[in-house]
Amino acid sequence: MYYHIEFDIAAVFVTLFIMYYVIFKKGLRRHANRVFLILLLLHFVAEISDILASASSNDPYLTTRLIQNISNYTYLFSQNVLAFVFVVYLFYLLGYEKTRKFAFWLICIPIGAELVLLFSNPLHHGIFYYDETGKYLHGDLFFILYVFAIAYMVFAVYLSIFHSKALTRGKSTALLFFIFISFAPMIIQMILPEYLLTLFFETLGLMGILFTIENKDDIINPTTGILNRFALENALEDAMRSKGQTLISIKIPNLNYYNKMIGFENMNDILGRISDYLEKEFHSHSCYDCGRGHFAVLCDNISEEEIDRLQKKIFYRFEKAWGKGKFSLAFPVQFGVIHLPEDVKTMENLLMIIDASFDGKDSSVMDVSKMIMDYERRVLIERLIDKALKNQSFQVYYQPIWNFHTGKVQSAEALCRLIDDEYGFISPEEFIPVAEQNGTVLEIGKFVFEEVCRFYQEARLKELGISYVEVNLSVIQCMSRNLKETFDGILKKYSLDSGCINLEITESATVDNQKVLLNTIETLSNSGFTFSLDDYGTGYSNIAYMYDMPFTIIKIDKSILWKALHPEEGEGQRNAVIYLENTVRMLKDMNYSILVEGVETLEQKLLLEKLECDFLQGYYFSKPIQKQVFADYLKVVNA
Ligand code: C2E
Ligand code: MG
Ligand code: MG
């Protein structure tokens, strides 16, 4: 029989290309990746030896018997070991090499037996022999090699299908494709034995693995040329399933700010230097650039002393500037150590730690357990918000607002309450920011607005002396479309007009989203709503922003009152009193009505009355109370 070696030759070139790609392009430095390289090498050896063996079989005078023998043994060795290594590769992909050691040793048994059988062939000639003309022929025991190869492949199919949870769908498809494409030509070769298709098809299968599982283009960060967050995520999946790995997180703060300051190009140059530095310091471990100035290093079996040494070294290095000339900058750095998998329970927690931004001004060590605790609390709050929205169990409490001029309760602030059956009272200071971040504040805001309107109408609050109710408006609501339509719709439903609602907007909102906010306020104001500026004086006091906005009431934050006159501190600080007095005077001169919140004591009330503040709100008068209690309270105080 004359063997056609053209397919084998083509396969050699394709294999060389794959090997080039794996070796010279920066790859996934995972163990699985190294096993893939072994797979490629074995495949390459099989190709060369198959070409030599087939050529010498075509023409027995072409090579010596020794070369023919070597190529046959090498071919059979590499092809059979390949099936075994493929299963090992799967073990590494699934992360079983450390967790399922027994199974790992078990799969070594068949290949051990095969190799004994193969290399004892000169004694029994059961695998192959040559006839008188020097022609290569299979012996009686050759089928055993087939049986073992098929057994390995069946096991590989089983792992790729039934253990594919640890693999993405693309990965397990690529593996099945490899198995199928390696076996299909065997059938063709039974019919057309002279066409050596097996290795060519196997090469196509390896190519499939290269472009899916081992593809590097989507795992490299183009800025720094090191592995990216996606690659880290893949490696972490392995690390979470095994033991003894440590993730070191290294973050610089506020990348956007620095990008603006010195330009993207210069900042990218600095990031490149940082990543080079980290690669040098952590030379035997994999470094990742997760973007936004977040780097990570995945270390296999690193000692605490070594981590300590590296931490000191990195802090020391970051005290000095990066980059060159006028574009050199020194940053604070955050260094975090996460032992895997002990320190984190879930992959979600781990990714949160990697992604959480570092806002510090000084270099510091990450408090991993606190981050996890905060995150879990946040997740819990999100769950409780969803539950409360679903069960309509949010409540609205009312805190009376006293009119200094009339001596009556003229309005009230509506304050949202989340009281969970299991977790009790959750402060709005805690759940409102969470709701703002995940958008549920829109629903909460709508609920509160409707609840207030219903109560206003049902309890006939107007007749009880309440001119309007103050409703807190979140920035997120201000940025949402159709806010006016939503509010108008609700007012109509309860036959109310917008004059019965005064919307409170916090001072911080006016600084961050001025333009959008202004648009919303104007639209709502044209609809007849009035506005209060909440928390005035909490650090964002830029009076210029207020000019453009139609606020009627300014609510001076309780912290300003408390600084001036706190029950525990008695007399208060002279400067704080001066600040309060002048703030009130200035705002009055600007024709704003003044509301001071947080009035807890008689002294505070007297001081504010002396300053002729228009409205007072605080525990001295009443805490926020349930709606029915509030209605009853009004009947007494406003009688
Ligand atoms: P805020 O709008 O500044 O509301 C005033 C807060 O001060 C309320 O806290 C109130 O209970 C508290 N307070 C009033 N007088 C006193 C006092 O004399 N002593 C003390 N210690 N505290 C006093 P609360 O109800 O915990 O609400 C906190 C914040 O949560 C509110 O601050 C507001 O920003 C937000 N919030 C509450 N309900 C809603 C809502 O329905 N929507 C939105 N967007 N935010 C809300
Ligand atoms: Mg308020
Ligand atoms: Mg306030």
Side-chain angles (χ1 to χ4, degrees), residues 391-403:
N391 301 341
Q392 300 227 321
S393 58
F394 272 115
Q395 295 184 44
V396 178
Y397 276 38
Y398 295 84
Q399 187 176 29
I401 294 174
W402 203 270
N403 183 326

Side-chain angles (χ1 to χ4, degrees), residues 65 130-135:
R65 172 58 57 90
Y130 303 100
D131 68 6
E132 317 77 56
T133 62
K135 198 165 166 255

Side-chain angles (χ1 to χ4, degrees), residues 52 55-57 59-68 71:
L52 271 177
S56 45
S57 182
D59 179 0
Y61 302 106
L62 190 72
T63 54
T64 62
R65 172 58 57 90
L66 180 68
I67 293 184
Q68 197 179 359
S71 44

Side-chain angles (χ1 to χ4, degrees), residues 299-564:
C299 308
D300 209 358
N301 284 323
I302 189 168
S303 68
E304 291 302 315
E305 294 77 50
E306 180 64 359
I307 295 176
D308 224 44
R309 188 188 69 78
L310 285 162
Q311 180 187 316
K312 283 197 188 102
K313 201 154 183 203
I314 284 170
F315 278 149
Y316 179 72
R317 175 62 190 87
F318 271 84
E319 276 172 19
K320 291 183 276 175
W322 297 90
K324 48 181 190 278
K326 60 181 174 165
F327 296 121
S328 69
L329 285 176
F331 318 91
V333 64
Q334 190 189 38
F335 189 93
V337 182
I338 307 136
H339 302 283
L340 302 175
E342 307 90 273
D343 290 354
V344 278
K345 275 186 251 143
T346 60
M347 191 70 184
E348 196 189 341
N349 276 351
L350 185 54
L351 294 178
M352 174 279 298
I353 296 171
I354 293 164
D355 294 335
S357 35
F358 161 54
D359 303 321
K361 302 242 178 315
D362 297 310
S363 293
S364 63
V365 179
M366 194 186 277
D367 187 344
V368 174
S369 53
K370 183 174 180 303
M371 281 172 87
I372 294 177
M373 245 166 55
D374 290 351
Y375 178 71
E376 286 181 347
R377 175 79 186 170
R378 209 195 112 103
V379 172
L380 171 75
I381 301 292
E382 281 189 343
R383 195 159 58 76
L384 299 184
I385 291 174
D386 287 345
K387 188 170 124 193
L389 280 171
K390 198 165 137 246
N391 301 341
Q392 300 227 321
S393 58
F394 272 115
Q395 295 184 44
V396 178
Y397 276 38
Y398 295 84
Q399 187 176 29
I401 294 174
W402 203 270
N403 183 326
F404 158 71
H405 306 288
T406 62
K408 302 239 157 147
V409 173
Q410 192 190 337
S411 64
E413 178 169 9
L415 292 159
C416 189
R417 291 290 175 260
L418 171 54
I419 303 163
D420 186 77
D421 303 338
E422 200 183 333
Y423 294 92
F425 175 81
I426 313 280
S427 163
E429 308 257 15
E430 188 174 15
F431 75 78
I432 292 286
V434 174
E436 282 181 334
Q437 277 174 30
N438 75 4
T440 43
V441 76
L442 294 177
E443 258 182 279
I444 299 176
K446 192 173 159 201
F447 169 83
V448 170
F449 191 89
E450 172 142 17
E451 187 57 31
V452 168
C453 291
R454 186 186 302 127
F455 177 52
Y456 194 87
Q457 190 232 35
E458 281 173 7
R460 297 171 183 275
L461 289 189
K462 195 158 197 99
E463 289 166 29
L464 293 173
I466 298 298
S467 319
Y468 54 87
V469 176
E470 305 242 344
V471 174
N472 288 286
L473 199 60
S474 152
V475 199
I476 308 295
Q477 282 174 284
C478 294
M479 293 195 302
S480 77
R481 284 163 191 267
N482 307 331
L483 187 65
K484 175 184 131 41
E485 287 71 17
T486 311
F487 284 176
D488 283 348
I490 297 171
L491 286 172
K492 203 163 158 214
K493 186 170 161 190
Y494 296 96
S495 317
L496 295 172
D497 70 76
S498 46
C500 68
I501 303 289
N502 182 299
L503 296 166
E504 289 190 6
I505 292 173
T506 60
E507 193 189 29
S508 57
T510 61
V511 179
D512 295 336
N513 299 282
Q514 235 194 103
K515 214 167 176 171
V516 186
L517 197 68
L518 193 61
N519 279 341
T520 313
I521 293 183
E522 267 172 4
T523 320
L524 289 169
S525 162
N526 291 340
S527 229
F529 288 99
T530 52
F531 290 89
S532 297
L533 179 68
D534 204 355
D535 304 335
Y536 177 82
T538 44
Y540 292 90
S541 309
N542 192 337
I543 201 89
Y545 290 120
M546 289 163 37
Y547 296 151
D548 300 331
M549 305 197 186
F551 293 115
T552 46
I553 301 174
I554 307 293
K555 293 187 76 169
I556 296 179
D557 194 68
K558 44 188 175 281
S559 57
I560 294 185
L561 171 66
W562 292 353
K563 270 222 173 82

Side-chain angles (χ1 to χ4, degrees), residues 163-186:
H163 289 244
S164 59
K165 255 194 210 144
L167 303 167
T168 59
R169 182 179 286 201
K171 281 185 186 179
S172 65
T173 313
L175 293 168
L176 288 170
F177 172 70
F178 174 77
I179 298 166
F180 170 76
I181 212 160
S182 311
F183 266 77
M186 282 194 187

